[in-house]
Amino acid sequence: MWIRAQERESALKNGDPRSRTRNRAQERGTALKKVEPRSRTWIRAQESGTALKKVDPRSRKCDPRSRTWIRAQESVIRAQERGTALKNEEPRSRKWIRAQERESALNEHYKTNRMVVQIMSGKLTFISGGVRSGKSAYAEAMLVKEAITAKGRLIYIASGRPVDNEMKKRIEKHQQDRAEQAWTTIEQPANLFETLPFIHQNDFVLWDCLTTWLANELYTEHNGKFCIQMGGCMEKKAKQMLETVDEIRKNSAHLIIVSNEVLDEFPSAYDETRKYSEWIGNLHQKLVALSDDAIEMDCGLPQYWKCEGKVAVR
């Protein structure tokens, strides 16, 4: 034992080139300091030590031969796909493609909605019914509810004229029914287009009613003659009325037109009465075609013939 210890000590001090112990010590010590390129230990040290200290700016690891460096590079690439590539120009990323598809779909959706708002900014409802069927009360209640919700203004376009005691009483009754709500009343027996300057966005408009307006227009005097007696007169007035209805609809939130249903009666023997019936039937058809909802009132109950632009009952 003593002899072996002496050999090791002598070999380490004197550097005996024939000593295996010296060779091992040199590999572990001096070779690491003097950079022996043939040593496996040196190679491992290079991978684990010096190469790791020379930090790549994109990663904490840098040696291209190191698996750790490769994983770090993969992480950098994934981060690029999740972040920068989505905002900039990386077209090969699936997430980038999905983001582009979502953005395109949203833009198309908003574009379509803006077009719909421009084409149809308001709602049109047509309500008809017999005398005392509850059509006016139903229309008023509908608009009052909507106006309260939207904080809009209530507009009442009145076509009636107090030509006799019965008509006076009917007008007074309608005024009493509206007294509890803040209705703005526009007295307009004829020339409906004159109401346009008073209609604004978020207005809820009730026109009551078409039948009295038609009677007023037919018997408006022009150069000593009534319109009903003049060829082409009522045609012009009807066209102008339909254009005005379209304008009121565009400028308001909701327009309701009330009219009497008089076509269930037997044909009259009087020529002017037949003309009136023909005109009211013709105007009803055109207004229903334009309307979103078409309602017929009977005993206070609404029957929807058209709802949201589609025929409800066939």
Side-chain angles (χ1 to χ4, degrees), residues 38-313:
R38 294 169 296 177
S39 171
R40 288 180 296 174
T41 304
W42 178 86
I43 295 172
R44 290 173 185 168
Q46 287 293 321
E47 290 183 352
S48 304
T50 308
L52 295 179
K53 292 180 181 179
K54 296 179 180 179
V55 180
D56 188 286
R58 298 168 296 176
S59 171
R60 294 182 180 178
K61 313 297 185 288
C62 70
D63 190 347
R65 295 171 296 178
S66 170
R67 287 179 295 176
T68 306
W69 181 86
I70 294 172
R71 289 173 185 167
Q73 288 297 312
E74 291 176 348
S75 299
V76 170
I77 294 171
R78 289 172 188 166
Q80 290 278 340
E81 289 185 352
R82 290 172 187 163
T84 309
L86 289 178
K87 294 180 181 179
N88 297 330
E89 75 286 346
E90 180 53 61
R92 293 169 295 178
S93 168
R94 286 181 296 176
K95 292 186 178 180
W96 181 86
I97 294 171
R98 290 173 187 168
Q100 290 295 316
E101 289 176 348
R102 283 194 297 269
E103 184 178 357
S104 177
L106 286 173
N107 289 338
E108 188 66 26
H109 173 73
Y110 294 140
K111 180 180 178 182
T112 303
N113 282 352
R114 286 194 295 269
M115 290 176 62
V116 170
V117 170
Q118 291 173 359
I119 293 171
M120 188 179 295
S121 56
K123 181 179 180 181
L124 174 61
T125 300
F126 182 80
I127 300 178
S128 64
V131 178
R132 304 294 189 275
S133 62
K135 54 188 181 296
S136 295
Y138 186 81
E140 290 173 12
M142 181 187 294
L143 287 182
V144 167
K145 183 178 179 181
E146 292 179 1
I148 291 174
T149 303
K151 297 181 180 180
R153 189 174 63 151
L154 290 166
I155 303 294
Y156 189 96
I157 301 175
S159 299
R161 283 176 175 168
V163 292
D164 52 32
N165 291 332
E166 181 182 357
M167 196 63 183
K168 287 180 182 179
K169 291 180 180 178
R170 292 181 63 181
I171 291 174
E172 289 175 358
K173 183 180 182 304
H174 282 295
Q175 290 173 345
Q176 292 173 0
D177 293 339
R178 302 193 306 271
E180 297 181 359
Q181 305 297 333
W183 286 90
T184 299
T185 302
I186 302 174
E187 300 287 347
Q188 197 68 43
N191 300 323
L192 184 64
F193 64 90
E194 295 179 359
T195 64
L196 287 174
F198 305 100
I199 307 301
H200 306 294
Q201 294 290 335
N202 208 35
D203 281 353
F204 293 81
V205 185
L206 173 58
W207 181 25
D208 192 358
C209 67
L210 177 69
T211 46
T212 54
W213 169 87
L214 178 60
N216 295 336
E217 292 287 10
L218 285 171
Y219 288 95
T220 298
E221 191 173 354
H222 297 277
N223 299 323
K225 287 186 178 182
F226 294 124
C227 183
I228 195 171
Q229 299 168 341
M230 301 169 61
C233 177
M234 197 58 224
E235 284 78 5
K236 293 180 181 178
K237 291 179 179 289
K239 181 182 178 182
Q240 189 178 52
M241 182 272 292
L242 293 172
E243 291 173 352
T244 303
V245 166
D246 188 55
E247 287 298 318
I248 295 175
R249 174 191 195 172
K250 291 178 180 178
N251 296 333
S252 64
H254 192 178
L255 168 62
I256 296 182
I257 300 173
V258 172
S259 185
N260 286 311
E261 194 61 64
V262 298
L263 300 178
D264 294 336
E265 302 174 359
F266 288 104
S268 175
Y270 300 99
D271 181 61
E272 291 186 356
T273 303
R274 288 197 303 271
K275 286 183 179 180
Y276 177 87
S277 297
E278 290 173 1
W279 269 111
I280 197 68
N282 181 272
L283 292 176
H284 279 191
Q285 291 184 51
K286 290 182 178 180
L287 288 171
V288 168
L290 292 173
S291 67
D292 299 291
D293 295 348
I295 306 168
E296 183 179 3
M297 297 296 299
D298 190 8
C299 301
L301 299 176
Q303 170 65 58
Y304 277 75
W305 294 100
K306 189 178 181 182
C307 185
E308 296 181 355
K310 297 180 180 179
V311 178
V313 178

